[in-house]
Amino acid sequence: MTIFDQMLARYEIKTNEQKRSAILEVMQEIALAGLYRGGFFDKAAFYGGTCLRIFHGLPRFSEDMDFSLVEKNTKFDLRNYFSAITEEFKAAGRDIIITKKEKRVHTKVESAFLKDNTDLYDLSFKTEKDIKIKIEVDTNPPEGFSTEQKLSLMPFSFMTRCFTLPDLYAGKMHALIFRSYNNRVKGRDWYDFEWYVRQGVPLDIAHFRTRAKEFNNLDIDKAEFIKILKEKLANTDINMVRQDVISFVQNPGELEIWSNDYFLQLADRIKYV
């Protein structure tokens, strides 16, 4: 049995969708191990939903791997770490390919949120190219975030540098408020928001403000943050929100309570650093 198979055996798999999600998560863990061996985390930190899933037990699957340099460096090249990632997968018993993902043209709203100086890469198996994870590194990150070292035990014991929870929370709330997908919503942002509130994690409002200023050229204080958040929560089609996230959660029944009023009440329970 390969290391990859051993890691996959940790999951209880009953459906094809569960199998696909488990495979993606094992791929993510091995990619982190390869990046660690390559020294990537001396310069960068892990953030986003996949970071929450792997290191904090978020009960939903996530496909993308989002990283941020700790200090701005527009000359940074992720390709310098491809050999370390590829060798880690080979040691685990799988061969992969990493390809650059071409960016599409964004709408004006999306461009106000998405940075142009990040390169996207897809990591996939040579034999199953439809199973892939997206890797993105922000080379020009906003300032004012903190990081911590989080332990992984598979495929070996190593540390991953991650954003702290209050700063992960700030990034997520910025995404929930400003992200746009051509009239689609990303229900995963809403799911994560609910998780943060239920876990009692405090929001780093200063880091949120820094993100809003750098990405959107907006100077937002705490009162304005609550105002625009509640406008978003009150006026978004909750059925669209639920539909986007339902295939990523293990227990769809937990979404039954979701309503605009439910999320407005969650907003009143946000704690702050």
Side-chain angles (χ1 to χ4, degrees), residues 34-241:
L35 289 168
Y36 167 82
R37 284 201 198 272
F40 175 76
F41 295 112
D42 294 336
K43 299 179 179 179
F46 193 23
Y47 74 101
T50 305
C51 180
L52 275 187
R53 166 71 181 171
I54 292 176
F55 292 110
H56 298 284
L58 179 73
R60 75 163 177 88
F61 287 104
S62 179
E63 296 180 350
D64 300 342
M65 301 189 76
D66 297 308
F67 301 96
S68 171
L69 295 186
V70 177
E71 297 179 355
K72 300 178 191 294
N73 180 4
T74 56
K75 295 182 179 179
F76 177 85
D77 194 341
L78 184 63
R79 290 174 295 183
N80 293 332
Y81 301 90
F82 284 5
S83 61
I85 298 173
T86 302
E87 287 302 311
E88 200 62 50
F89 272 91
K90 191 180 293 290
R94 299 301 297 260
D95 290 323
I96 61 162
I97 55 174
I98 305 175
T99 55
K100 187 169 184 178
K101 184 178 176 69
E102 294 302 321
K103 291 186 177 181
R104 61 181 178 81
V105 176
H106 300 299
T107 66
K108 184 177 180 180
V109 173
E110 289 174 312
S111 296
F113 176 74
L114 298 170
K115 290 190 172 182
D116 293 328
N117 60 341
T118 57
D119 288 332
L120 304 178
Y121 293 92
D122 283 335
L123 185 156
S124 60
F125 296 131
K126 283 188 176 180
T127 55
E128 303 164 80
K129 294 181 181 178
D130 61 321
I131 298 180
K132 60 188 177 183
I133 54 178
K134 185 185 79 176
I135 301 176
E136 182 172 8
V137 181
D138 187 348
T139 59
N140 187 26
E143 298 177 351
F145 61 87
S146 301
T147 64
E148 61 183 347
Q149 298 289 335
K150 302 297 290 185
L151 173 66
S152 291
L153 299 177
M154 293 289 281
F156 59 89
S157 295
F158 67 96
M159 292 288 187
T160 297
R161 188 178 196 171
C162 301
F163 276 43
T164 59
L165 278 171
D167 291 324
L168 283 167
Y169 195 177
K172 179 56 62 175
M173 297 313 293
H174 177 255
L176 190 156
I177 290 172
F178 293 107
R179 176 147 46 196
S180 176
Y181 284 100
N182 295 326
N183 297 320
R184 286 182 55 230
V185 294
K186 194 165 185 180
R188 284 156 277 181
D189 291 339
W190 294 57
Y191 186 92
D192 296 357
F193 166 47
E194 178 193 42
W195 182 88
Y196 281 115
V197 175
R198 293 180 59 151
Q199 297 296 313
V201 176
L203 168 68
D204 185 345
I205 192 68
H207 185 54
F208 171 86
R209 295 184 65 189
T210 300
R211 284 182 170 272
K213 193 160 191 176
E214 183 155 331
F215 281 97
N216 311 97
N217 198 30
L218 294 173
D219 190 2
I220 299 173
D221 61 17
K222 183 177 172 182
E224 182 68 13
F225 161 72
I226 286 294
K227 180 175 179 289
I228 60 177
L229 172 62
K230 286 191 170 183
E231 287 175 356
K232 184 85 170 187
L233 298 177
N235 298 314
T236 302
D237 185 338
I238 201 67
N239 290 320
M240 290 177 61
V241 176

Side-chain angles (χ1 to χ4, degrees), residues 8 11 13 17-26 61:
L8 194 61
Y11 295 83
I13 298 173
E17 186 61 36
Q18 288 175 339
K19 182 177 181 180
R20 182 178 184 276
S21 295
I23 289 173
L24 289 171
E25 194 157 293
V26 172
F61 287 104

